[in-house]
Amino acid sequence: MSTPSNENQVGATQDDSATGLPLFRNWRAVYLFVTACFALWVVLLALLPRVFA
Amino acid sequence: MNALDYAVLLISLLSIAAYGVWQTRGKRSLTTYLKGSGNSSWIVIGISVMATQASAVTFLSTPGQGFESGLGFVQNYFGAPFALIIIAAIFLPLFRRLNVYTAYEFLGKRFDAKTRLLGAGLFLLQRGLGAGITIYAPAIVLSTVFGWPLDFTIIASGLVVIVYTVAGGSDAVSLTQKYQIAVIFAGMIAAFVVLIWKLPRDLGLADAMTVAGGLNRLNAVDFSPNLSSRYTFWSGTIGGLFLALSYFGTDQSQVQRYLSSGSLRESRLGLMFNAIFKIPMQFGILLLGTMMFVFYQFEQPPVYFNQAAWTERAASGDAGEFRRIESEFAGVHARKREQIDRWIRAKRDGDSREADRARSLAQQLQQQSEEIRNQAKAMIPQANPSGDEAGRAKPVSDADYVFITFILGYLPHGLIGLLVAAFFAATLSSKSAELNALASTTTIDVYRNLISRRGSDSQYVFASRAFTVLWGAIAISFALFARLAENLIQALNIIGSVFYGPVLALFLVAFFLKWIGGTAIFWAAIAAQLLVIALYFTLDISYLWYNFIGPGACILLAIAIQSVLPRETKPANSQTA
């Protein structure tokens, strides 16, 4: 049987592991999204001088 | 500046500062003063992290970089998203679990007191030096706008920051930062819109980008493996990763921001907000500089943007030579404009051969123009090689004057006041966070740890306020010598790159190499710091690589030293990661 203190800790852990974002259930998905954004920025920046050469 | 500009400047800044002080009145406990009340949402955390990093230097100096060398500087931030992911996933949960005031308390719990002091000492040293430069940037604005002596402006603006920070505390810093960043973005967006509007009527945005691209101002990503190139994809991603990891993960001015939230989730989302928007934000500021470059292809720019220094030198030196340079520069500019007009016309007419010919001539004239500007830059120290009355060299970084010259010359009244307010807001937001962090580290890691272990809350809050004043005074002193540095934003990053590496290594070893003890990492960090300083003065490589060399050398040395030392046993009451 868990003590109130333990229950609070479990609650806090569950609260922290949920992202609270509609499309991202866990933090790994958020980190992947950030990495994809980075790749997109780099591709767009690399293309910029070619588009306006 | 007229009355409208002064009204915009004073109302926007004073109302934000007053709001911060009013909202945090009566909160006088040490926890609230240093960590805030713990109810900041992720957007407040995200903006606070962004505002702390983006000082007036960012908004004053970066457009000048875009003007001088294009978009390449954006690569400096390529490592930031990965660093922020690592911090959110690994650093943050440990800092929160140990409920520390400062990042260096964690080092004390993981290693020992001397390693904690070393981490805190390196932070205080490099952040204290950097703090001077962030005061210097708005001082340039003020001295140009009001014609005040630069030294007086540095001292006056530094005092304003000190008063604001002492009154505020951590909660006031976070609260005011979100309004300050609104003023900053409003100013930058307004400047961008006016700049585009001021371009020739028949020049579309696509034409403007074509001119920028044709004159090599849009080369944002350089994949070459050249180690001596200052900004490449590799130095930005690898070196930038370590720089950002050090800055966001171990610099108390940032750690204090994201620890002010009540939950891990809010802190993580605040960091991810920055991971996504840091690169586009820097790109936007650099693009502003690049568009200014295009604007000055159609308007005659001064050969030297710091006109006060130019006029002063022309009066004291060979005036004829100064006039010759100005006249030669104007001639080249007029011929270049003709070629650019020809190039754009030919491009619209679909005559690619004519367009190529005109572009090639414009590129040659641009090169000549840059050579004349370099001659002009060289004229400034030549005119007075012994420096000013105090024997100091005068500023040589003309890029820092490009944006403010445009603002004063082409923005309407009201917007000039808004832009000056934006520079001030950026100074207040980053400087208050820095001074708050310097004071927290001195109070918690030095004063409470070594001098007064059993003091009351009010005693520590008083000490924290006193240390804020002390660090503010030190920052002002360094600012008085910041004019020796090259482009301000680079000077700030160079200082960080030289000192951050060993500090980052302390944390990486603490997290990942648990068999290494305090003595081994302590001596390894000192040796690595000396090595990085020695290499900085002897090697010709991009400074970003020191963010990789520093921690690499420190970790290898720590492993070597630990292998010949007996394993350390931690006291029973110590907590480890």
Side-chain angles (χ1 to χ4, degrees), chain B residues 18 43 145 446 470 508 552:
Chain B
I43 190 68
V145 170
V446 180
L470 177 70
L508 292 179

Side-chain angles (χ1 to χ4, degrees), chain A residues 1-2 6 10 17-18 20 35 45-46 48:
Chain A
M1 195 175 137
S2 56
N6 286 339
V10 170
S17 64
T35 307
L45 286 170
L48 199 60

